Amino acid sequence: MKEVTHVYFVPGMAADVSIFEFIKLPEASYKKHMLPWKIPSKDESIKDYARRMCEEIEHKQCVLIGVSFGGIMVQEMSKYLNVKKLIIISSVKNKHELPKRMHIVRKTKAYKLMPTSLVSKIDNWEKLAFGDFAKKRAALYQKYLSVNDKTYLDWAIEKIVCWDQEETIEGIVHIHGTKDIVFPISYIDSCITVEKGTHVMIINRARWFNKHLPEIIEN
């Protein structure tokens, strides 16, 4: 009998693990595990935080899949684990793939001025939305962006912008959409491209992932 592969998922910044609700893997071969965000201590390094996230991993030779900032986090976590496969989605493999604007934000330390306390106080995004499309999008954000703790938001923004990884981790698999506006594909080197995939394609292009993930994990 084939051994079951354990697959651990880390969501994007401030996102709830429910972003993976449409991802289906064959149950005979895979077991899904969700890793929600923890609240960091104010000056916690990304390495120490990654170590804490690793405490939730119960299986050797597991697969790590991270979306956006979760993609950065699984790379940091993989440095303390023996993983079967490391997969990032809508993310970056090193600091050189971060868009220019993020390098500027880092240099000027503008990330310290971001009004994260406003985000953390908005309980009902729909109140700020006008028109049907905006209301739908607001409802989507409200559903999936559930981590609104100011300490976490300040910490996560700084850790993305100031991520210092120089080299790409060997063997990493990077899946990226051609219409990603957070991490534009023009900055991304060698990846599996999803035509017209946006930064939230893990939600609205789940069918693509359900079709291709098992093959990507195994090869």
Side-chain angles (χ1 to χ4, degrees), residues 105 109-118 150 154 157 161:
V105 164
K109 290 195 161 48
Y111 58 85
K112 290 182 185 291
L113 307 173
M114 289 185 180
T116 48
S117 55
L118 290 179
K150 184 180 173 355
D154 288 341
I157 289 166
V161 169

Side-chain angles (χ1 to χ4, degrees), residues 43-168:
D43 298 316
E44 189 168 7
S45 71
I46 195 166
K47 287 174 172 47
D48 286 345
Y49 188 94
R51 270 198 205 99
R52 279 208 293 141
M53 291 288 275
C54 287
E55 288 166 11
E56 309 299 321
I57 306 270
E58 293 172 7
H59 305 91
K60 290 192 171 91
Q61 279 290 298
C62 64
V63 174
L64 290 182
I65 299 181
V67 172
S68 192
F69 180 44
I72 290 175
M73 190 52 64
V74 294
Q75 288 175 75
E76 292 295 334
M77 289 167 66
S78 74
K79 294 166 187 176
Y80 307 104
L81 299 165
N82 188 359
V83 299
K84 174 180 175 173
K85 189 77 87 175
L86 178 62
I87 300 170
I88 64 168
I89 298 163
S90 310
S91 190
V92 293
K93 298 185 289 296
N94 54 60
K95 69 178 191 181
H96 308 291
E97 292 187 336
L98 290 167
K100 271 203 183 77
R101 65 176 181 275
M102 288 193 188
H103 292 293
I104 294 163
V105 164
R106 176 180 181 158
K107 254 189 199 136
T108 58
K109 290 195 161 48
Y111 58 85
K112 290 182 185 291
L113 307 173
M114 289 185 180
T116 48
S117 55
L118 290 179
V119 178
S120 61
K121 286 196 180 89
I122 295 166
D123 288 328
N124 195 344
W125 290 64
E126 286 164 347
K127 284 179 188 156
L128 298 177
F130 304 97
D132 282 349
F133 177 72
K135 278 205 168 73
K136 269 186 196 149
R137 180 171 280 190
L140 191 75
Y141 284 143
Q142 197 179 347
K143 179 179 177 185
Y144 293 115
L145 296 183
S146 66
V147 188
N148 54 14
D149 178 273
K150 184 180 173 355
T151 306
Y152 166 83
L153 292 168
D154 288 341
W155 178 87
I157 289 166
E158 182 179 338
K159 293 300 171 268
I160 294 169
V161 169
C162 300
W163 194 42
D164 256 338
Q165 183 155 289
E166 283 281 350
E167 303 292 329
T168 296

